[in-house]
Amino acid sequence: MPAEAREFVAEGASPATEGPPGVAVSIRGLGHSYGELRTIERLDLEAPAHGVVGLVGPSGCGKSTLLELISGLQEPVAGEVEVGGAGDPRGRLTRCAYMPQRDLLLPWLSAIDNAALALRNRGARRRAARREAGRLFERFGLAGFEGAAPAELSGGMRQRVAFLRTLVAGKPVLALDEPFASLDAITRAEMQEWLAAALRADPRTVVLVTHDVEEALYLSDRVAVLSARPARVVEELQAPSPRAPDRDAAVTDPGFVAVRERAMLALRGGAG
Amino acid sequence: MSRRWLLPALVLATMVGAWQVAASSGAIAATLRLEDFLVPAPSEIAASLWENRSLLADNAWVTLQEVLLGFGFALVVGLGAAVVLHLSETLRRATYPLIVASQTVPIIVIAPILVVWFGYGIGPKLAIVALICFFPIVVNTLDGLRSVDPDATKMMRTLDASRWQTFRRVEAPTALPYAFSGAKIAVAVAVIGAVFGEWAGSDSGLGHLMLLDNAQLETARLFASVVVLSAIAIALFGLLALAERRIVTWR
């Protein structure tokens, strides 16, 4: 974690938080609706500090809304969302970094300036922010692409920069919304391995939304299967080998395949 | 690059050439049953441009000032208004329909009223130019500001951006190409506005010169004024297009 980011976490995290470094997410009896449309109902979910929780569910079931609720971008209608003990939206915003579905790299900024956005927003000078973000570029296989315009990068590269932008924000909790949905199958598998390595090197509490059961089971410690709208958790599954270095071996292991089949079954049941 | 201009240049040259032949042989005048001297050939217009160069330049300078000052004023006020309307939904709801509706008022025809109020000076011309430039600038810039991806705004919030930082880093750059489109439309109509302002009452400017030439049947110089006015409009449009290409490098 960059030094400035660490300072920020130390500042932002409540001193009352005890136990492991990092911050946990806790959701109890959560309800949310857009007017008449009930999107989430009586949803419970826990993510331990430095744990990765995967959320899978039928499309349009309110997964993205759930991430926005966790990040403090929206307020629940019922129940509680706490991030590191903070229930107010402001407190959640300071503890969560949200990575939207599309990379949303700003085309008028270079890759490194995109990644350094959070540092600049906090008042860091351009040079200092670039130096800080530059270290992560080297660590995460993006060295040499600092000055590239987003349009010059491949889909996988753009996604990496977008993830670094989330990481550089230095927040203890990452809310990732379908981070690799736009990529082709091969690139997606590569990116999953890359993200697994990134999280091994720099552990954070992660809530990962995806429609890809295999992706969720490979990257997460635990996967919650959501029902169709209004969303609630229909089944929680323990992942057999979270973020194993050899992805191909991990996902073809009979144990993994069995859990995947169970998740698929729960998904179909919840959708029906 | 030059390939792009080759065909249009050929078409233009052919048209001017055809006009030259038709006018100098008297064909146009005969068809329209006009005196020969009323239908100047391009060569005569070119000659008139050269002979009257200082007269045309003096009057072009007056018109150019009206265009630039009126446009500049509309640019500042228009961009400011777009930002304010973007930030305040109440204000936008209250005034935007009126701004759009105001476009049905043919602004150039209120020029005579402005002359009655403000006299023959530069004031009424600036007002006309600014009024007709204002609308395309406001509407385009506001469109641009409103086209910002809501997810980008959310992302900026979780990256600890203040309202101002979101505006400066996301909204303003998004709106920039739209603002340039608005400004390019505005600068083209600005010249029309200046000429109408001069027609309503003035003692100098290319519009004024055209009225004199019209009365004196100086058709060659009349065309010369048209050529100069077009050149001003094209040059200003070109400058803006050039600035846009320099500044909006990501498109």
Side-chain angles (χ1 to χ4, degrees):
Chain A
M1 198 186 299
E4 274 183 48
R6 199 176 294 129
E7 271 165 37
F8 180 80
V9 174
E11 236 171 60
S14 135
T17 323
E18 282 168 26
V23 162
V25 176
S26 162
I27 298 170
R28 284 181 302 275
L30 181 71
H32 179 267
S33 56
Y34 289 109
E36 291 289 288
L37 185 71
R38 287 177 312 157
T39 45
I40 297 169
E41 203 166 64
R42 295 195 309 278
L43 187 138
D44 298 296
L45 193 74
E46 294 277 334
H50 287 183
V52 181
V53 171
L55 295 175
V56 292
S59 46
C61 80
K63 298 182 296 257
S64 299
T65 309
L66 185 54
L67 284 189
E68 291 184 5
L69 281 159
I70 294 170
S71 309
L73 291 167
Q74 291 208 40
E75 270 300 85
V77 174
E80 284 169 46
V81 190
E82 280 186 4
V83 177
D88 60 308
R90 182 80 229 138
R92 280 181 276 141
L93 263 173
T94 58
R95 289 163 175 77
C96 284
Y98 167 69
M99 178 175 171
Q101 236 173 68
R102 287 158 300 137
D103 58 67
L104 291 177
L105 297 181
L106 303 176
W108 43 88
L109 296 182
S110 63
I112 190 124
D113 285 340
N114 266 289
L117 262 176
L119 302 175
R120 296 281 285 141
N121 286 339
R122 277 183 226 138
R125 300 217 167 265
R126 190 191 304 261
R127 191 191 297 239
R130 281 183 180 165
R131 203 179 325 118
E132 201 67 63
R135 264 177 232 154
L136 287 181
F137 268 60
E138 276 167 30
R139 255 175 73 192
F140 293 114
L142 281 164
F145 291 93
E146 288 86 350
E152 297 164 357
L153 300 173
S154 69
M157 289 291 215
R158 291 172 64 98
Q159 226 54 34
R160 281 180 215 216
V161 175
F163 181 72
L164 284 197
R165 178 185 61 200
T166 319
L167 215 54
V168 167
K171 314 271 184 111
V173 176
L174 307 180
L176 310 181
D177 191 357
E178 302 264 14
F180 310 131
S182 60
L183 304 176
D184 62 89
I186 294 169
T187 314
R188 198 187 311 163
E190 279 171 15
M191 286 302 296
Q192 289 166 6
E193 254 178 323
W194 180 84
L195 180 60
L199 287 174
R200 280 197 304 271
D202 185 356
R204 308 276 177 111
T205 309
V206 178
V207 182
L208 166 77
V209 158
T210 171
H211 65 262
D212 182 342
V213 174
E214 189 175 279
E215 178 173 288
L217 278 172
Y218 170 63
L219 287 170
S220 319
D221 302 301
R222 215 153 35 81
V223 172
V225 180
L226 302 182
S227 66
R229 222 173 30 220
R232 70 206 152 65
V233 178
V234 289
E235 180 146 12
E236 285 202 52
L237 298 156
Q238 208 65 36
S241 49
R243 302 179 290 287
D246 186 349
R247 178 186 175 279
D248 288 345
V251 301
T252 48
D253 182 81
F256 187 96
V257 173
V259 181
R260 193 186 69 199
E261 289 312 308
R262 253 184 72 197
M264 291 300 287
L265 209 64
L267 201 53
R268 266 183 234 124
Chain B
M1 259 307 163
S2 60
R3 270 268 164 91
R4 208 153 58 100
W5 298 105
L6 190 65
L7 278 177
L10 265 174
V11 172
L12 186 67
T14 312
M15 284 167 68
V16 173
W19 178 7
Q20 177 70 40
V21 172
S24 57
S25 68
I28 299 177
T31 317
L32 297 175
R33 295 172 194 220
L34 293 170
E35 298 288 343
D36 267 350
F37 76 97
L38 291 177
V39 188
S43 57
E44 293 169 72
I45 297 168
S48 172
L49 268 171
W50 177 248
E51 284 157 21
N52 298 293
R53 59 188 178 280
S54 80
L55 178 69
L56 286 167
D58 289 347
N59 285 289
W61 173 237
V62 172
T63 305
L64 184 64
Q65 276 177 303
E66 293 161 2
V67 167
L68 286 180
L69 289 172
F71 170 76
F73 184 74
L75 190 66
V76 172
V77 177
L79 291 178
V83 171
V84 169
L85 292 184
H86 173 62
L87 294 179
S88 164
E89 198 185 333
T90 318
L91 219 54
R92 186 171 67 241
R93 287 207 183 152
T95 61
Y96 192 69
L98 299 180
I99 293 177
V100 175
S102 76
Q103 282 313 291
T104 56
V105 178
I107 290 171
I108 42 186
V109 305
I110 66 169
I113 306 174
L114 294 173
V115 170
V116 170
W117 286 353
F118 302 117
Y120 274 42
I122 196 170
K125 287 89 182 174
L126 293 191
I128 298 287
V129 172
L131 278 172
I132 62 172
C133 286
F134 180 71
F135 183 75
I137 294 174
V138 171
V139 171
N140 279 284
T141 308
L142 190 59
D143 263 1
L145 288 168
R146 303 200 63 192
S147 73
V148 169
D149 192 324
D151 279 348
T153 315
K154 285 178 192 165
M155 178 198 80
M156 283 299 277
R157 280 182 65 199
T158 75
L159 298 180
D160 304 315
S162 64
R163 185 70 193 81
W164 163 244
Q165 286 170 330
T166 301
F167 177 77
R168 190 160 66 90
R169 301 213 160 105
V170 177
E171 292 173 319
T174 305
L176 203 54
Y178 292 76
F180 266 113
S181 299
K184 284 192 287 190
I185 298 169
V187 88
V189 293
V191 176
I192 302 173
V195 170
F196 266 83
E198 288 172 3
W199 285 355
S202 60
D203 46 24
S204 59
L206 285 174
H208 175 74
L209 186 62
M210 288 174 80
L211 286 186
L212 296 184
D213 292 343
N214 200 36
Q216 297 166 10
L217 300 180
E218 282 271 7
T219 45
R221 204 165 69 189
L222 197 55
F223 273 101
S225 287
V226 174
V227 170
V228 175
L229 281 170
S230 308
I232 289 175
I234 292 169
L236 292 177
F237 188 94
L239 279 176
L240 277 174
L242 203 69
E244 180 179 13
R245 228 188 301 162
R246 277 288 164 84
I247 297 169
V248 186
T249 48
W250 58 88
R251 276 217 162 174

